[in-house]
Amino acid sequence: MKIKSILLSIMAIGLGIMIWGRGTVAQAESLSVPKSTAPQGLTIDSYFETTQVFDNSAKPVETNKGNNQAVLLTDGARELGTIWTSNAAKMNMAEDQKASMWMYFGDGYNAGDGMAFVIQNGDVDAAAIDNSDPANPIAARGETLGVWGHDTNNQATTPQQVADTAIPKSWALEFDTFNNRLPTGSQAPTSDQTWDSDYFSKPTSAANQFDEDTPGGYAHIASNYPGEASTYNIMTKNLSWTSGGFLGLGGTTTTKSYNYATMNHLGIISNNFSLLRNDNGAWKHLTLNWKAPAAGLTTGTMTYTFNDKDPKTGAKLTSGVSSRSVPINLTKLGLSTDDARVRWGFTGSTGDSFENNLVVFEEVPGLVDADVTANLVDNSQANMTIDDASDKVYTGDQMTLKYHLNYKGGRDSWQSIKNKLNLPADIAYDSAKVTYDDGKFADGKTSETIPVDSNDTTGQSVSETLARNLSKNTSAGETDGATITLTGKVSSKTATAGTPDKVASKTSSFEGSNAITQATVSGFQVLPGGDGTSVMTMALTGPEKNIVANSNNQKGSESQTSATDVTISGKITYKKVDGTPVTGKTLTLQPRLNGNSLQTSTVTDSDGDGVYDFSYMIPSTSLIAGSTGNVLDLFATDTSTHLSAANNLEYTVTLKDGTKSISANTLSSFNADNPQKMTGAAMRLTPDSNWSVKVYDSIGTGDQWTLQAEAEPLKTRLSVPLDGDLKYLDGSGNENSLTQGVVNIASHTTTSDDDVVDVAKSWDQKHGIVLDVNGGAVQGNYSTQIQWTFYNGPK
């Protein structure tokens, strides 16, 4: 029995060694799992380099979103993968920066070792690795993650010796998936043999137990400077064991001290086992925000926020999000305020245990800094913003949904932006358009519309690419913002007062070729409008001649050649379903011009017959010239019962989008057609036949303009002034000098939509521009320059 007991005890000890050692090898999942679930990313191209490190396992791979969408850092045992930005894509630490990416850490708990985001300013640039011997470019693997220092075969006696093997002049944010720490309790090493065989026999992972200061040994996120001695500690472990003797009796006791390295983790995040992955594998999102040092200082702040987006929808998460802010001293990276550009990238490594480590990039620091905001407004409820799932809207309410794309900065414009809109349900969208912050469109377009299905209230998806890139480079015809505006009406067949429809939030993606971001519209609740016993209808009553035939008096239109105020009239008929008038109400008339809400007004029933008459004026200053016209959308609401009119009114005002221009001969003369000799007496010269001043006006019939001119004094090439003056005769005996100021030359009201006036054609000695030469003038060639301008309106 004693022998059997001893044998069982030995087996238990052996099993213990297997558990706390690194003898168990993790089997990596198939790459098909992360590839099939990967979010949309930027194509890996000239921004990154992956080839300058010996035996580099990193490589671009395809995902379900296309080729070169992700970087695979590691997927096997004892690998090292690195990816660094190119010289052109370095990050300027003297400016605020933002980075955004998705990360994948495998699907099991026993895998290793993780990866690190690294900023480095080392001399070897894209060949940077952790390595104690420059002549032997084979980096340490395992817990070093390809960036931290290491202590091969228990040789280090100071923290500086460990730091010297790390990537110099660097800062790293690690995502550590393997617990590297000394076992405790019954699994602690108890003899020289177990200590040596399991901790010092593997040169690339020996003597480092970096994770002793991490809580619970969980997977964790933390940061520090890999090349700084302050990042490491040299610890001592004393072991005693007895050898010889028989059955625990007698023998010789030996005591020996061992050194091993640990690491100081700053800004640590370690809250649960599934921080970096779970049993099924999951993409995790990381956002990095760098706040540059203030003027005269060298320390800025890096904020890293983890798990802040849903990998399936891109929506911002509110639970499970972890964020830390840590200082970064630029002098530790060998940077100055004069040159603060650094290379950045990812490193990853494995030991005997391994996992699939992948990265998908959304925003690259310094390339494009952009964001998108979403704003859903209930126009029928005094333009109430919908920003919470408990907000209530009512059937028939008029809604406006806007996405504003904002380019903040960067070295490139935001290019080829594809808007993938996921629209909230229970809204029948009747229009969708794009406008730009500078009011211009691409390729001469006057507007950009997005096709929507006005009958679909299930929450349709719409995809459209912007016609223009966004940037602050106005000289290249670009602008820094664009707005997508959708309008519609709340519609639900199932909502009841007791059981409202609960509409889910929706996240849309805005995917440029060099930056990707998302915006989320809040969910809301839909209730029935009114009490079910009444109905409101609307109709136009004037201008009667402008009401569109066969529109049930619900549409009207007119054209203008110059912007003037427009007043339309209409009525709202409010009755019970049995025809009884609903009187004594105060209704709200809500106008929307070109998708933008205008000032509301109230309407009352002055006659007590349930007919609410109204008029509304569109100010001329709100009208925009263009062939698409200005569309006024009118709707009415009884705010006391949340009942909206069953129909809207539409009135279109087209302000003709013509042009006005001047054409004048560049060289015109006096006294060349029929030369007159100077006699010493004053003389008046009329224009030669080479004078031509034409005004072209395609604004439309009835447009008015006034042409003006002014001139410089006449001089010879040697700057000798002429004793005389250039004047305009208005035909009524009035003479005005062009060299003394601006002179009105002509006023005109157009008589066609394509009007051309030759102003100089009717000039003679009593009307037009003449040259008065005084008796003291000296013979010679004199010249001047006339500036022609015109303004809208009569003289």
Side-chain angles (χ1 to χ4, degrees), residues 659-665 691-698 700 703-707 728 745-763 767 788 790:
T659 60
K660 280 188 271 197
S661 61
I662 302 172
S663 173
N665 282 355
W691 280 75
S692 176
V693 181
K694 294 182 179 180
V695 177
Y696 300 87
D697 188 341
S698 60
D703 188 46
Q704 295 179 313
W705 52 259
T706 295
L707 177 68
Y728 176 71
I745 302 299
S747 290
H748 180 71
T749 300
T750 60
T751 58
S752 70
D753 289 346
D754 192 11
D755 198 83
V756 181
V757 176
D758 190 344
V759 176
K761 186 176 182 179
S762 60
W763 287 353
H767 176 224
W788 304 96
F790 61 80

Side-chain angles (χ1 to χ4, degrees), residues 535-537 571-576 579-585 587 604-613:
V535 64
M536 285 194 297
T537 58
K571 63 181 181 179
I572 306 166
T573 303
Y574 197 174
K575 294 182 177 181
K576 296 284 188 179
T580 303
V582 177
T583 61
K585 293 282 190 176
L587 307 181
T604 57
D605 178 13
S606 58
D607 296 331
D609 58 357
V611 177
Y612 297 71
D613 296 308

Side-chain angles (χ1 to χ4, degrees), residues 506-544:
K506 286 295 184 72
T507 298
S508 297
S509 184
F510 303 83
E511 301 171 358
S513 60
N514 51 4
I516 299 172
T517 189
Q518 296 84 24
T520 299
V521 179
S522 171
F524 51 89
Q525 298 184 36
V526 178
L527 294 165
D531 57 9
T533 66
S534 305
V535 64
M536 285 194 297
T537 58
M538 302 180 69
L540 291 171
T541 57
E544 188 173 345

Side-chain angles (χ1 to χ4, degrees), residues 374-395 397-402 427 490 521-527 588 590 592 597-598 600 635 637 639 642:
N375 186 35
L376 179 62
V377 169
D378 188 332
N379 304 117
S380 298
Q381 296 191 67
N383 295 327
M384 179 182 74
T385 298
I386 306 301
D387 56 11
D388 191 271
S390 64
D391 289 340
K392 296 177 176 60
V393 303
Y394 299 85
T395 55
D397 281 4
Q398 301 286 331
M399 309 294 288
T400 299
L401 172 58
K402 290 186 177 183
I427 299 177
V490 176
V521 179
S522 171
F524 51 89
Q525 298 184 36
V526 178
L527 294 165
T588 302
Q590 301 176 339
R592 190 163 54 199
S597 296
L598 302 180
T600 62
F635 51 97
T637 305
T639 57
H642 296 291

Side-chain angles (χ1 to χ4, degrees), residues 5-24 186-188 190-191 193-194 197-198:
S5 175
I6 293 172
L7 289 175
L8 287 174
S9 176
I10 293 172
M11 289 177 65
I13 294 172
L15 181 60
I17 294 173
M18 289 295 292
I19 292 175
W20 59 259
R22 298 196 67 164
T24 302
S186 62
Q187 295 180 353
T190 58
S191 72
Q193 180 181 3
T194 57
S197 64
D198 288 289

Side-chain angles (χ1 to χ4, degrees), residues 540-603:
L540 291 171
T541 57
E544 188 173 345
K545 64 178 181 178
N546 295 329
I547 297 176
V548 176
N550 302 320
S551 69
N552 294 322
N553 295 329
Q554 294 177 12
K555 292 185 178 182
S557 66
E558 66 177 73
S559 296
Q560 294 185 357
T561 57
S562 60
T564 59
D565 295 344
V566 176
T567 300
I568 64 173
S569 58
K571 63 181 181 179
I572 306 166
T573 303
Y574 197 174
K575 294 182 177 181
K576 296 284 188 179
V577 292
D578 62 3
T580 303
V582 177
T583 61
K585 293 282 190 176
T586 298
L587 307 181
T588 302
L589 185 67
Q590 301 176 339
R592 190 163 54 199
L593 183 64
N594 298 328
N596 298 312
S597 296
L598 302 180
Q599 182 64 45
T600 62
S601 60
T602 57
V603 184

